[in-house]
Amino acid sequence: MPAREEDEKRWSQWMARANQGDAEAYRALMKELGQAVEAFVRSQLGPAGFLEDCVQESLLAVHRARATYDPQRPFRPWLFTIVRHKTIDFLRRRGTRAKEQAEEASRLEAVADPSGADPSASIDAGALLDRLEPDQREALALTKLGGYSLAEAAARAGCSESAMKTRVHRALRAARRLLEREETDP
Amino acid sequence: MTRPRDDLIQDLAEDLTPVRSPGRTTGTTFAWLTGAWIFVGAAMLASGSLRPGVGEQILGSARFLLESLLGLAAGAVGIAAALRLGIPRPGAPLGRVAPALALLGLWGALQVYALWDPLLTPSMEGKRAGCWLQTFVFGAPPLAVGLWLARRLAPFARAWTGALLGAVAGALPGLMMQFACMYEPSHNLTHHVAPILALAVLGALLGPRVLRRI
């Protein structure tokens, strides 16, 4: 049996047992899900510094939504619907975390090309970003992944702050649509 | 700073409680439909009688009968779709509620079409005072119960869920008014269909506030 199908069967059984109150099965499940979610988020967004936060928020969401898992249905589509939603939700809310953003910005400065080349190039390795329009991709990479403020991102992109705000909004909407369109799980 | 993942998993495992009927909304759907129809029917009868001769009107007009059945089906499909939005599944929310929206839209479109081709001979017979308010008020408790039920699920599209719950909750008394109040197409639209839209808007506004963020 391929590893993917084995995972599917094992996770489904663990979740069914967890929903009957089996904490051991739940611990084992969450541990494996943590790794699967991490791989997914990394594949979509690249090696972002906030990966662990995003993974943990997704695990929390799985925990809150566990009553909605029907053991008669496949586990992976259920899981990755939650994870996709949480990934976008996480990106959307990231703009409010000023301190964390500042830390990310410092990190970005350190890894960015010192010659002043496009700083988003160092962090936009994810599949999700690759599928966005170039200006949306840049907006998302700078503000949500890189941690720049709207004003800083606008200055770097050579547009007004309000234009940057619009680009970020559209990028998040496009990202959500792209993820929702994925009928198959990763 | 992020805590170690193992600590989080340990906490979640300690918080684990058994779940009854995981992932199923069929029972909830039937319970809501039954309860809502009993409530709306009782409220309608307690606040006045049905339109005189409505039984003969239904049996004497295939279109009236079919339109009523369509309204019933739209309500059932609508509540099922609204609750199923609380189960995480791939696909955009709009696509998942499309059949329910199509049925509700078709029922609404037939009410508009009646302006040019009335279902029955328009008459003031059976006119209820305050039918707009009654439709709205009788639909509000089913909306509240629907939101409470959806709160226990995991709806990501909370505004859509609220709007659909509002539309379905309003459609029940809206449909009952077809049998209870006077029949006149423009009155029907402004006094029986408009409150349905008002409840849908109310649901869309309440959804993001009342339904829990997963």
Side-chain angles (χ1 to χ4, degrees):
Chain A
M1 190 186 289
R4 188 187 167 90
E5 284 177 33
E6 277 180 23
D7 286 347
E8 166 74 44
K9 198 174 168 189
R10 191 171 60 253
W11 292 348
S12 178
Q13 285 171 348
W14 276 342
M15 185 52 112
R17 279 168 52 193
N19 274 342
Q20 290 167 357
D22 185 340
E24 272 313 305
Y26 196 52
R27 251 182 234 110
L29 172 70
M30 290 307 244
K31 207 157 189 166
E32 286 199 11
L33 293 191
Q35 292 163 2
V37 172
E38 184 177 339
F40 172 77
V41 178
R42 194 186 297 279
S43 75
Q44 295 295 324
L45 303 177
F50 54 79
L51 205 71
E52 185 58 25
D53 285 355
C54 195
V55 171
Q56 292 198 16
E57 283 210 10
S58 295
L59 291 181
L60 257 173
V62 167
H63 180 72
R64 290 193 194 113
R66 68 191 186 282
T68 64
Y69 173 63
D70 179 356
Q72 307 297 320
R73 300 183 74 93
F75 185 84
R76 291 178 72 98
W78 175 83
L79 169 71
F80 285 104
T81 301
I82 295 172
V83 175
R84 285 184 186 112
H85 176 83
K86 286 311 293 182
T87 304
I88 293 297
D89 202 35
F90 184 85
L91 284 178
R92 194 166 50 76
R93 285 185 292 113
R94 248 181 80 75
T96 58
R97 299 176 187 174
K99 192 180 167 200
E100 189 184 23
Q101 274 194 323
E103 286 168 4
E104 285 286 345
S106 310
R107 188 184 67 80
L108 182 68
E109 294 289 358
V111 295
D113 183 349
S115 66
D118 178 10
S120 65
S122 61
I123 49 172
D124 60 1
L128 178 64
L129 290 176
D130 287 344
R131 286 180 286 166
L132 295 175
E133 295 289 326
D135 60 338
Q136 294 178 353
R137 180 181 176 209
E138 181 186 41
L140 211 58
L142 287 170
T143 58
K144 302 295 181 181
L145 306 190
Y148 287 100
S149 69
L150 279 174
E152 289 166 342
R156 283 180 179 271
C159 64
S160 68
E161 199 174 328
S162 61
M164 177 54 67
K165 196 172 177 182
T166 306
R167 283 182 195 179
V168 170
H169 177 69
R170 285 184 181 154
L172 284 171
R173 216 170 46 184
R176 183 182 292 278
R177 270 203 304 269
L178 283 169
L179 288 180
E180 280 176 349
R181 249 184 248 151
E182 286 181 351
E183 290 296 325
T184 53
D185 53 304
Chain B
M1 184 161 167
T2 312
R3 61 199 291 220
R5 195 186 301 174
D6 286 344
D7 288 359
L8 172 75
I9 292 173
Q10 183 58 32
D11 287 352
L12 296 182
E14 282 171 14
D15 183 53
L16 192 68
T17 47
V19 175
R20 256 190 333 155
S21 310
R24 306 275 168 82
T25 54
T26 315
T28 318
T29 300
F30 277 110
W32 185 91
L33 269 175
T34 309
W37 272 119
I38 289 173
F39 169 77
V40 170
M44 279 286 183
L45 292 175
S47 59
S49 56
L50 296 182
R51 186 171 61 240
V54 69
E56 291 80 24
Q57 287 173 343
I58 294 173
L59 295 174
S61 164
R63 192 176 140 202
F64 192 12
L65 181 64
L66 285 174
E67 210 175 286
S68 303
L69 290 174
L70 177 67
L72 280 172
V77 173
I79 184 64
L83 292 176
R84 273 205 305 268
L85 272 181
I87 305 289
R89 276 181 203 158
L94 186 59
R96 293 178 62 189
V97 298
L101 290 180
L103 280 178
L104 282 166
L106 180 60
W107 183 76
L110 286 171
Q111 311 310 310
V112 176
Y113 171 70
L115 288 172
W116 291 274
D117 183 11
L119 192 62
L120 307 167
T121 308
S123 144
M124 294 282 281
E125 196 172 16
K127 180 172 169 49
R128 278 186 174 225
C131 55
W132 194 103
L133 193 62
Q134 283 183 8
T135 306
F136 187 86
V137 169
F138 296 164
L143 169 61
V145 173
L147 286 169
W148 177 73
L149 291 171
R151 215 181 125 73
R152 298 156 68 191
L153 301 169
F156 293 133
R158 292 175 298 159
W160 272 109
T161 304
L164 194 51
L165 284 171
V168 174
L172 269 52
L175 183 61
M176 278 295 282
M177 279 297 173
Q178 296 274 66
F179 313 132
C181 191
M182 60 177 267
Y183 180 78
E184 201 283 313
S186 60
H187 173 84
N188 189 33
L189 282 174
T190 55
H191 289 71
H192 308 160
V193 176
I196 300 176
L197 298 176
L199 278 164
V201 171
L202 179 66
L205 293 173
L206 287 176
R209 289 162 180 80
V210 173
L211 301 177
R212 64 181 181 150
R213 181 188 285 274
I214 294 300

